[in-house]
Amino acid sequence: APLALMAALALGTGVVMLEALLFRGLFDIASFLVLPGQRLAASIALVLLLVLLLAIEFPILLETVRQGRKLELRLRMALFRKLPRLNDRYFASRPISDMADRSHSIQLIRSVPSLGFRAVQGVFEIVLTLAGILLIAPSSAVLAVLLMAVSICFPFLTQSLLNERDLRMRNQSGALYGFYLDALAGLIPIRAHRAENAIRRQHEALLVEWARSARGTMRLALVSGSAQSLVCTLIAG
């Protein structure tokens, strides 16, 4: 199924590239198609191409969603088989808030196939665009290959920095979850000892650190994406 889906992605990407060329040709079609019947036939052909593209994209979307559900189901079944065999010391060594957050986050696994297929589709688009440039303007081959290399390799160069920032933000999110749970579990003693202000100050300190890490992560992602766009635009220019 994944191989068939990749073949459908390659076909769909090729049709999208053809669609772009046809839309570009619409600007000059008036000088070539003079008779109303010719223009009507060209419009019908374009509509049929759009219907064909929809007929290709819709099964791809359905299959991607099905693969995501299948992956999540297999992970849940594997966890159900594994959990009874785990020692109680493992659960005692993990914060309850962390285990709850992980269990609630299992559903995110269903988005992994769509991310993978979108990455494959992006590679297909880059390769087909490169092939079109080489076919139309062979003299631009060096710059086109350089542009493709920058488009593919640049994200890998910044991935380690983004992973480090993202891990820091996740750790601070885990600390916040644990703080919420502890505060709720000890709500009566906190009120009895009038410790609301101390709890509020501690929560604010954790929240400030989390917000700072989140801003740093988003700032790095925006800077890296902008730098990639700027370099690619300069090469294209």
Side-chain angles (χ1 to χ4, degrees):
L3 292 177
L5 194 56
M6 287 185 183
L9 280 173
L11 180 61
T13 305
V15 175
V16 169
M17 303 297 291
L18 180 61
E19 179 190 9
L21 292 176
L22 289 177
F23 277 128
R24 171 63 183 86
L26 287 177
F27 293 105
D28 304 323
I29 199 171
S31 59
F32 295 102
L33 304 178
V34 181
L35 299 178
Q38 293 176 337
R39 297 183 180 182
L40 179 62
S43 302
I44 293 175
L46 185 60
V47 170
L48 289 177
L49 178 67
L50 295 177
V51 172
L52 176 63
L53 180 61
L54 180 63
I56 295 174
E57 291 288 338
F58 190 67
I60 291 175
L61 178 62
L62 291 180
E63 181 62 23
T64 303
V65 174
R66 192 183 73 84
Q67 291 288 335
R69 289 199 304 265
K70 184 178 178 181
L71 182 63
E72 182 189 0
L73 180 62
R74 290 178 61 185
L75 176 63
R76 289 183 182 274
M77 295 304 296
L79 285 173
F80 287 147
R81 288 192 297 268
K82 183 70 174 177
L83 285 175
R85 299 197 298 268
L86 288 177
N87 196 301
D88 289 341
R89 281 186 297 177
Y90 171 77
F91 296 102
S93 65
R94 306 296 305 173
I96 298 177
S97 59
D98 179 65
M99 300 295 289
D101 178 55
R102 289 173 183 269
S103 64
H104 284 296
S105 301
I106 290 178
Q107 50 90 18
L108 296 175
I109 199 70
R110 71 180 67 171
S111 63
V112 171
S114 63
L115 289 174
F117 290 130
R118 278 207 298 270
V120 172
Q121 187 176 17
V123 171
F124 281 147
E125 289 177 355
I126 292 175
V127 171
L128 288 176
T129 304
L130 176 65
I133 292 174
L134 296 179
L135 186 64
I136 296 172
S139 59
S140 303
V142 176
L143 287 175
V145 172
L146 178 62
L147 181 59
M148 184 187 73
V150 170
S151 300
I152 294 178
C153 297
F154 197 94
F156 289 101
L157 297 177
T158 58
Q159 191 65 34
S160 60
L161 296 175
L162 286 171
N163 286 338
E164 179 183 354
R165 298 291 183 90
D166 183 69
L167 180 61
R168 186 185 308 168
M169 185 177 69
R170 288 179 182 274
N171 289 335
Q172 289 167 348
S173 297
L176 275 173
Y177 295 149
F179 185 85
Y180 290 146
L181 186 62
D182 292 341
L184 288 173
L187 187 59
I188 295 177
I190 290 172
R191 287 177 174 173
H193 294 280
R194 301 183 64 84
E196 292 93 339
N197 291 332
I199 295 296
R200 190 177 294 114
R201 283 194 298 269
Q202 187 178 356
H203 174 262
E204 183 181 4
L206 291 173
L207 191 61
V208 166
E209 290 298 324
W210 174 85
R212 191 174 297 161
S213 297
R215 281 198 299 268
T217 303
M218 295 186 66
R219 190 182 302 115
L220 181 59
L222 288 173
V223 168
S224 62
S226 301
Q228 180 186 2
S229 300
L230 178 61
V231 172
C232 292
T233 304
L234 290 174
I235 296 174

